[in-house]
Amino acid sequence: MSTTQARGPRWERRKESRPAELLAAALEFFVERGYAATRLDEVAARAGVSKGTLYLYFPSKEDLFKAVVRETIVPQIDELRRSVDRADDDCAELLRSFFAQWWQRFGASRLGGIAKLIVAEAGNFPEVARFFQEEVIEPHSELLVAIIERGIQRGEFAPVDARLAAQLWIAPLALKAIWTNSMDALCPPEARLAPERLLQAHTEFVLAALRPQPTGAAS
Amino acid sequence: MSTTQARGPRWERRKESRPAELLAAALEFFVERGYAATRLDEVAARAGVSKGTLYLYFPSKEDLFKAVVRETIVPQIDELRRSVDRADDDCAELLRSFFAQWWQRFGASRLGGIAKLIVAEAGNFPEVARFFQEEVIEPHSELLVAIIERGIQRGEFAPVDARLAAQLWIAPLALKAIWTNSMDALCPPEARLAPERLLQAHTEFVLAALRPQPTGAAS
Amino acid sequence: MSTTQARGPRWERRKESRPAELLAAALEFFVERGYAATRLDEVAARAGVSKGTLYLYFPSKEDLFKAVVRETIVPQIDELRRSVDRADDDCAELLRSFFAQWWQRFGASRLGGIAKLIVAEAGNFPEVARFFQEEVIEPHSELLVAIIERGIQRGEFAPVDARLAAQLWIAPLALKAIWTNSMDALCPPEARLAPERLLQAHTEFVLAALRPQPTGAAS
Amino acid sequence: MSTTQARGPRWERRKESRPAELLAAALEFFVERGYAATRLDEVAARAGVSKGTLYLYFPSKEDLFKAVVRETIVPQIDELRRSVDRADDDCAELLRSFFAQWWQRFGASRLGGIAKLIVAEAGNFPEVARFFQEEVIEPHSELLVAIIERGIQRGEFAPVDARLAAQLWIAPLALKAIWTNSMDALCPPEARLAPERLLQAHTEFVLAALRPQPTGAAS
DNA sequence: GATGAATGAGTCTTCATTCAT
DNA sequence: TATGAATGAAGACTCATTCAT
């Protein structure tokens, strides 16, 4: 007597994928609700396991939190590293590419949500915040600084304080990334500004500000 | 040297000043730790009263939270209203003044901390977030849009999409205000960028971007 | 300069009446909500004084409770005492009168509410319950027993176990008195049985049960 | 003499039996102390579990209360239903049996305690009181009314207002049931009237009151 | 006396964490 | 491993009681 009603799921869920599923579920909740308001039963439930199982992989809520941060960030860092020593385009193109990539990683991925989370919890988890600062913010910042400085050296850009400019010019994208994971959920989609437009406009403004002044006549 | 402070009364009757003291204490904690991690006994203790007293003035933690937000924001809104219809300076000056004032209100006051808080808790307190959006963000944004548009009409500024530009150009200050209440606490003061320098550099960049292109000949 | 706007109420509330007003207010709440669910601010408010004033007259909630019980009961006891050694009517008439009076005191007054309260709180306030038992229940019971026994001795009533009968025959009225202060509030008035009808029917049944059997023929 | 009880596990897994144990413990406390004075840790402790465990089975104190009421009452309702359509004895016998059963259910079981509880809390939990009224009081009352009316129709009983009589004649047993869970705990056992005697005496009185008057000749 | 602001012990309730199965 | 029942520390909230005014 053959019944097609199998006794389990068709594919056994692999144990190796458990941590990843848990991290994904936790990421969702942490970003949506914040650290304290995220309950571990819900995380476990969304990952399709029991609460006890979660503890087989992560010894505490705090560790889960740190793992979420680390696991979401680390691949981004690696990608970043690869793109640092790149093409020898003219610097304007490099800058365009930098902003586009930055948005890809932060705004379009979950990293913006992580950033919001870390900003919110910096007071409670300083090590996590420091980790983020050192592993994400500073490298990105360095990269932008390097591009600007190279452009100045080559005479492609007007001379500016590169460090200061970098901080100023990442902000619009960073804030948009944070907003996307926070206030934007409240507005109807049509009321939000499309990130592509923002990205493009920002890039052009920056390049305008960096355009070398015609020496001679005007001065 | 005799101190007159001898074992005084167990407590003083200070109905008038209590709410303000409690709100101040709550603001500190909420900004520092976030909503959930703030404990009401600690708020009460910092305000110098017992837990029960807090409940004489605020019926619940949530109400306290909302009151903190409202009370911190409302005076700012009022100031903003007053400054809307202002001098008839040239628009570049108006813009400088706008950024300076904006920083005064957000960065130098506690409003930046509130902003961080609201961004963090938008998912849990959508009404609060909406309130902030409508009463703070949008009015400020409108004001900047108005300045830019006036400048364009008068030919003082290059033609730009004012709404888009406004969003882009508030971001560096806004992020700095948020950062001041979050990540900056981790860095030693000397490692942080002085807000005044950032403010000035930003203003100049914006004005550069708005400088009307010499039409005709030069191009 | 005469203003007709007096500076206080026309009649100063006499301090001697304060305790009575407080007791009346407390009685209402205790009967309606029970001991624990009655809040002293509400009692004070209904009596038109502040919470602190309540404590000038009653040292604690428990004392207030006991005072309410005592003050509601004691006048009834006194009335009872006066009516014990009464007219020399025939016993049937005495019985009618007893039931009528009983209802007047318990059902029509607040004593029924007190009874409910004491029954409910007997476990928490045994002394109060004992007081009620000794000062109210037993005297009333004794009185009924006395009437029945007198009737039997005179041959007006059939011989019965007077003590047992007394307990049985007070029950319908007692339960009605309790019900009036409890479940009856839930029914629309027209659904409730009028106490007068119940009283009358009960009296007749009891007298029927006490009617001496015609000796002789039937036996 | 060796006891096998050696430092056993900290707790046992007993999902099936927990609710019943908790309900039993809660019933004890609610009846003994009333709703408000019952503390949930004590209920949990008496059931041999921790406070948290209680919340695995009942979401709040109020729900626990309602569950206690429901679970104590429902089986009684079911038994009642079964006994409704019963034997075709003569009505006097039916009445005897009704009273005996009634006492069995109310006085001998915990239902009397529940009744006390509901009477006490009717003001605070009207739905619970209404439930009790509709599911317990009215069905029992209907049953008694039906018996009396049948007896009258058959000429076995004197004509009476059955509804009124039913209310009067349940009262002595009902009050005894309530008393057993309240005032009786204060008296030494020998001072209390044995319920069997009360039951028997009551039954006889009722039957006496229902005995048809010899029409004609004798009067 | 009268007031009502202030107190703090006491309870309900939540949830991260443990552990018998 | 996986489960989920059980735990208990922690925190919001209430309210009888006190006491400065």
Side-chain angles (χ1 to χ4, degrees):
Chain A
M1 186 174 117
S2 77
T3 129
T4 54
Q5 187 183 356
R7 256 187 253 100
R10 252 189 305 174
W11 304 304
E12 274 295 311
R13 192 164 273 182
R14 316 269 192 64
K15 12 180 195 278
E16 309 92 66
S17 60
R18 282 281 156 76
E21 286 161 4
L22 284 163
L23 286 168
L27 174 60
E28 299 287 312
F29 278 113
F30 281 140
V31 169
E32 188 179 340
R33 305 197 185 163
Y35 179 78
T38 292
R39 272 175 300 132
L40 294 191
D41 338 21
E42 289 189 280
V43 171
R46 186 172 291 185
V49 300
S50 75
K51 208 176 3 164
T53 302
L54 196 158
Y55 277 84
L56 293 177
Y57 297 99
F58 305 97
S60 74
K61 187 182 188 181
E62 190 170 332
D63 286 287
L64 175 63
F65 178 64
K66 289 174 178 169
V68 165
V69 172
R70 203 169 353 163
E71 297 300 313
T72 312
I73 287 174
V74 167
Q76 300 295 336
I77 297 175
D78 294 345
E79 272 193 52
L80 171 67
R81 293 235 163 78
R82 261 174 265 125
S83 68
V84 168
D85 309 308
R86 266 254 306 248
D88 204 53
D89 290 330
D90 68 295
C91 291
E93 199 47 45
L94 221 50
L95 204 61
R96 277 185 227 277
S97 153
F98 173 84
F99 284 133
Q101 271 193 60
W102 195 102
W103 177 257
Q104 215 56 38
R105 287 200 203 121
F106 266 79
S109 83
R110 236 43 197 258
L111 209 47
I114 290 287
K116 182 196 83 168
L117 193 53
I118 288 170
V119 164
E121 298 291 341
N124 301 321
F125 298 98
E127 336 83 89
V128 173
R130 216 181 309 274
F131 172 78
F132 190 74
Q133 173 76 24
E134 287 164 11
E135 298 295 327
V136 180
I137 296 177
E138 285 171 7
H140 275 90
S141 185
E142 291 308 320
L143 190 50
L144 181 52
V145 167
I147 293 170
I148 294 171
E149 284 181 340
R150 200 191 310 180
I152 296 170
Q153 279 173 359
R154 294 191 187 169
E156 296 177 39
F157 291 161
V160 298
D161 179 333
R163 195 156 297 278
L164 189 47
Q167 189 163 339
L168 287 172
W169 294 339
I170 284 182
L173 299 186
L175 200 61
K176 178 70 177 172
I178 288 174
W179 230 249
T180 300
N181 288 281
S182 155
M183 312 289 285
D184 271 359
L186 303 175
C187 309
E190 67 276 11
R192 300 174 211 153
L193 182 57
E196 294 76 22
R197 287 196 57 209
L198 186 126
L199 178 61
Q200 199 215 325
H202 178 56
T203 309
E204 296 315 317
F205 279 127
V206 167
L207 288 174
L210 281 173
R211 196 160 298 137
Q213 298 301 320
T215 49
S219 73
Chain B
M1 189 171 135
S2 76
T3 128
T4 54
Q5 189 184 354
R7 41 198 161 81
R10 272 213 283 170
W11 43 265
E12 273 181 283
R13 178 178 274 234
R14 302 175 58 194
K15 188 189 198 320
E16 303 311 319
S17 48
R18 289 289 189 232
E21 290 163 4
L22 285 162
L23 286 169
L27 175 59
E28 299 287 310
F29 277 111
F30 280 141
V31 169
E32 188 180 338
R33 305 198 182 164
Y35 178 78
T38 292
R39 266 167 304 125
L40 293 192
D41 348 16
E42 288 189 282
V43 171
R46 185 172 292 185
V49 300
S50 75
K51 203 176 11 162
T53 300
L54 198 158
Y55 280 88
L56 292 178
Y57 298 97
F58 304 97
S60 73
K61 187 180 186 180
E62 189 170 334
D63 284 285
L64 175 64
F65 178 66
K66 289 175 178 168
V68 165
V69 171
R70 206 171 351 168
E71 297 301 312
T72 311
I73 287 175
V74 167
Q76 300 296 335
I77 297 174
D78 294 344
E79 271 192 53
L80 170 67
R81 295 236 162 77
R82 262 176 263 126
S83 69
V84 167
D85 309 307
R86 268 254 310 248
D88 205 52
D89 289 329
D90 69 293
C91 291
E93 199 47 47
L94 223 49
L95 205 60
R96 276 185 229 276
S97 152
F98 172 84
F99 284 133
Q101 270 194 61
W102 196 100
W103 178 256
Q104 217 56 37
R105 284 197 205 124
F106 267 77
S109 83
R110 236 44 196 259
L111 210 47
I114 289 287
K116 182 197 82 168
L117 193 52
I118 288 171
V119 165
E121 297 292 340
N124 301 322
F125 297 97
E127 336 83 86
V128 172
R130 219 182 305 275
F131 173 77
F132 190 74
Q133 172 77 23
E134 287 166 12
E135 299 295 328
V136 179
I137 296 177
E138 284 171 7
H140 275 91
S141 184
E142 294 306 323
L143 193 49
L144 180 53
V145 167
I147 293 171
I148 295 171
E149 285 181 340
R150 203 191 307 180
I152 296 170
Q153 279 174 0
R154 295 192 186 169
E156 295 176 40
F157 291 160
V160 298
D161 179 332
R163 198 157 293 279
L164 190 47
Q167 189 164 339
L168 288 171
W169 294 339
I170 282 181
L173 300 186
L175 201 62
K176 178 69 176 171
I178 288 174
W179 232 249
T180 300
N181 289 281
S182 156
M183 312 291 284
D184 272 0
L186 303 174
C187 309
E190 67 276 12
R192 300 174 210 153
L193 182 56
E196 295 75 23
R197 288 195 57 210
L198 185 126
L199 178 61
Q200 199 214 323
H202 179 55
T203 308
E204 295 316 315
F205 278 127
V206 167
L207 288 174
L210 281 173
R211 194 159 298 137
Q213 299 300 322
T215 48
S219 75
Chain C
M1 186 175 122
S2 79
T3 128
T4 54
Q5 188 182 354
R7 255 186 256 99
R10 253 191 304 177
W11 305 305
E12 274 296 311
R13 192 163 273 181
R14 317 270 192 62
K15 15 181 196 273
E16 310 90 65
S17 61
R18 282 279 156 76
E21 285 161 6
L22 284 162
L23 287 168
L27 175 59
E28 298 287 311
F29 278 112
F30 281 141
V31 168
E32 189 179 338
R33 305 195 185 164
Y35 178 79
T38 291
R39 271 175 302 133
L40 293 192
D41 340 21
E42 289 190 282
V43 171
R46 185 172 291 185
V49 300
S50 75
K51 210 177 2 164
T53 302
L54 197 157
Y55 276 83
L56 294 176
Y57 297 100
F58 304 97
S60 76
K61 186 181 188 181
E62 189 170 332
D63 286 287
L64 174 64
F65 177 65
K66 289 174 178 169
V68 165
V69 172
R70 206 170 3 191
E71 297 300 312
T72 312
I73 287 174
V74 167
Q76 300 296 335
I77 297 174
D78 294 345
E79 272 193 53
L80 171 68
R81 293 237 163 77
R82 260 175 266 125
S83 69
V84 168
D85 309 308
R86 268 256 308 254
D88 205 54
D89 290 329
D90 69 295
C91 290
E93 198 47 46
L94 221 49
L95 204 60
R96 277 186 229 275
S97 152
F98 172 84
F99 283 134
Q101 271 194 60
W102 195 101
W103 178 256
Q104 214 57 37
R105 284 198 205 122
F106 266 79
S109 83
R110 237 42 197 260
L111 210 47
I114 289 287
K116 181 196 83 167
L117 193 53
I118 288 171
V119 164
E121 298 292 341
N124 301 321
F125 298 97
E127 337 82 271
V128 173
R130 216 181 310 273
F131 172 79
F132 189 75
Q133 172 77 24
E134 286 165 11
E135 298 295 326
V136 180
I137 296 176
E138 283 171 8
H140 275 90
S141 184
E142 292 308 321
L143 190 51
L144 180 54
V145 167
I147 294 170
I148 294 171
E149 284 181 339
R150 201 190 311 180
I152 296 171
Q153 279 173 2
R154 292 191 189 171
E156 295 177 41
F157 291 161
V160 297
D161 179 332
R163 196 155 295 277
L164 189 47
Q167 188 164 339
L168 287 172
W169 293 340
I170 283 182
L173 299 186
L175 200 61
K176 179 71 177 171
I178 288 173
W179 232 247
T180 301
N181 289 281
S182 156
M183 313 290 285
D184 272 358
L186 302 175
C187 310
E190 67 274 11
R192 302 174 210 152
L193 183 57
E196 295 75 24
R197 286 196 58 208
L198 185 128
L199 179 62
Q200 199 214 325
H202 178 55
T203 309
E204 295 316 314
F205 277 128
V206 167
L207 288 174
L210 281 172
R211 195 159 299 137
Q213 300 299 322
T215 47
S219 75
Chain D
M1 188 172 135
S2 74
T3 128
T4 55
Q5 187 184 353
R7 44 202 156 79
R10 270 215 283 170
W11 43 264
E12 273 181 284
R13 179 176 274 234
R14 300 174 59 194
K15 189 188 199 317
E16 303 311 319
S17 47
R18 288 290 189 233
E21 289 163 7
L22 285 162
L23 287 168
L27 174 59
E28 299 286 311
F29 276 112
F30 280 141
V31 168
E32 188 180 338
R33 304 196 183 166
Y35 178 79
T38 292
R39 268 169 301 129
L40 293 191
D41 348 18
E42 289 189 282
V43 171
R46 185 171 293 184
V49 299
S50 76
K51 206 175 8 162
T53 301
L54 199 157
Y55 280 86
L56 292 177
Y57 298 98
F58 304 97
S60 74
K61 188 180 186 181
E62 189 169 333
D63 284 286
L64 174 64
F65 178 65
K66 289 174 178 169
V68 165
V69 171
R70 204 169 347 149
E71 297 300 312
T72 313
I73 287 174
V74 166
Q76 299 296 335
I77 296 174
D78 294 345
E79 272 194 51
L80 171 68
R81 294 237 162 77
R82 260 174 265 124
S83 70
V84 167
D85 310 306
R86 268 256 311 250
D88 204 53
D89 289 332
D90 69 294
C91 290
E93 198 46 44
L94 223 48
L95 204 60
R96 275 185 228 278
S97 151
F98 172 83
F99 283 133
Q101 270 194 62
W102 195 101
W103 178 256
Q104 215 57 35
R105 286 200 203 122
F106 266 77
S109 84
R110 237 41 198 258
L111 210 45
I114 289 287
K116 182 195 83 167
L117 194 53
I118 288 171
V119 164
E121 297 292 341
N124 300 322
F125 297 97
E127 338 81 90
V128 173
R130 216 182 308 274
F131 173 78
F132 190 74
Q133 172 77 25
E134 286 165 12
E135 299 295 327
V136 180
I137 297 177
E138 283 170 9
H140 276 92
S141 183
E142 293 306 320
L143 193 50
L144 180 52
V145 167
I147 294 171
I148 295 172
E149 285 180 339
R150 200 192 309 181
I152 296 170
Q153 279 173 358
R154 295 192 187 170
E156 295 177 40
F157 291 160
V160 297
D161 179 332
R163 197 156 295 277
L164 189 48
Q167 188 165 336
L168 288 170
W169 294 339
I170 283 181
L173 299 186
L175 201 62
K176 179 69 177 171
I178 288 174
W179 231 247
T180 301
N181 288 281
S182 158
M183 313 290 285
D184 272 359
L186 303 173
C187 309
E190 66 276 12
R192 301 173 210 153
L193 181 57
E196 296 73 23
R197 286 196 57 209
L198 185 127
L199 178 61
Q200 198 215 326
H202 178 56
T203 309
E204 295 316 315
F205 278 128
V206 167
L207 288 174
L210 281 173
R211 194 158 300 136
Q213 298 301 320
T215 48
S219 77

